[in-house]
Amino acid sequence: MKRRNFIQKTALTGSALTMGSSLAYASNSLVENAAPHKFNLKYAPHLGMFKELAGEDIIDQINFMADQGFTAFEDNGMMGRDVAMQTKMGETLAKRGMTMGVFVVDKGGNMANTLAAGKQEHLDIFLDGCKRAVEVAKRVNAKWMTVVPGGYERRLPIGVQDGNVIEALKRGAEILEPHGLVMVLEPLSDSPDLYLQNSDQTYMICKGVDSPSCKILYDIYHLQKTEGHLIHNMDLTWDEIAYIQIGDNPGRKEPTTGEINYKNVFKWIHEKGFDGVLGMEHGNSKSGKAGEQAVIDAYKEVDSFM
């Protein structure tokens, strides 16, 4: 190769490399400096939802959620984490300006230690869980915690079961109320043996307890399955709803994957002036990074109701 041609080729190659490097740097900078998306509502992802994009580290996952524009977070298993991790998570949420959503009061599984039975040992387990939940809530700056009363006590009339549940929840409210904490009762569709399954029933229980520390967790996925008429039933029970959870049906995956018109439902919730948390308690319809990005994109789509 002639020296002149070699110099020209080298110069062109160097320019191309420099240009490529500059473009790559600019591209990375744009990604890193991109402003978080501004959602209209406080959607709350959970750990594991973005682990392919964010990595396995809990704090990295929370920071990733904030970087995407999510302003809340929920963690059902918070009470099972060690104190150091709870504290670190609380500090990270505060630093990122994120609202802590629900964690589950540790009273055993959804069917266990049923409050409907009126048994002292079940009540004691529940009240102990409420006491320990107060300390956890302080570490992570939480306000709401999920309570599932347990299964039916088939040997008792339903009115007696209702009375037992109300009295137990009154005792729990006595523990939580001085701290400004709220247990949110979640009606579920998982089993016909569960005591709490419908929004009107939960509304009645909350009215019976008559405390600002006992409200409804309206899980749209579960209540689409058990009763439907989502907007109508939310409107009927609205004054007792303190927390909302999300999942499309069938499949319990992100919005846009099932039958629920989430854009319309979210528009209605926004117009009601709801400023609480909407927990993303569902799985991802697709695996891997592409599936995680699909969840983010789905929320941008259904939140575009303005």
Side-chain angles (χ1 to χ4, degrees), residues 132-147:
R132 290 184 288 113
V134 170
E135 298 307 312
V136 175
K138 290 177 182 178
R139 296 183 196 111
V140 297
N141 195 29
K143 181 176 181 178
W144 307 277
M145 51 212 66
T146 305
V147 169

Side-chain angles (χ1 to χ4, degrees), residues 29-39 66-69 96 300:
S29 296
L30 285 172
V31 171
E32 290 174 2
N33 297 324
H37 183 79
K38 187 170 179 57
F39 290 103
D67 290 342
Q68 305 312 303
R96 299 306 304 265
K300 290 179 180 179

Side-chain angles (χ1 to χ4, degrees), residues 30 42 55 74 100 116 126 135 148 153 188 210 214 257 279 285 296 305:
L30 285 172
K42 294 179 184 176
E74 67 176 22
M100 178 65 204
F126 167 61
E135 298 307 312
V148 177
E153 181 54 69
L188 299 171
D210 191 25
C214 183
T257 58
S285 64
I296 297 168
F305 49 74

Side-chain angles (χ1 to χ4, degrees), residues 229-247:
H229 302 289
L230 294 169
I231 289 175
H232 173 72
N233 286 326
M234 275 193 283
D235 197 38
L236 287 176
T237 59
W238 186 252
D239 66 313
E240 295 292 342
I241 294 174
Y243 200 94
I244 296 170
Q245 286 183 325
I246 303 160

Side-chain angles (χ1 to χ4, degrees), residues 206-226:
C206 289
K207 290 300 183 186
V209 177
D210 191 25
S211 168
S213 288
C214 183
K215 296 295 179 181
I216 297 172
L217 190 171
Y218 195 101
D219 188 307
I220 295 173
Y221 163 75
H222 284 295
L223 291 170
Q224 170 68 1
K225 291 176 66 181
T226 60

Side-chain angles (χ1 to χ4, degrees), residues 4 14 22 24 32 78 80 82-83 134 144 185 198 209 228 233 241 243 269:
R4 181 179 178 182
S22 298
E32 290 174 2
M78 183 65 81
D82 63 57
V83 171
V134 170
W144 307 277
L185 310 182
N198 296 93
V209 177
N233 286 326
I241 294 174
Y243 200 94
I269 290 170

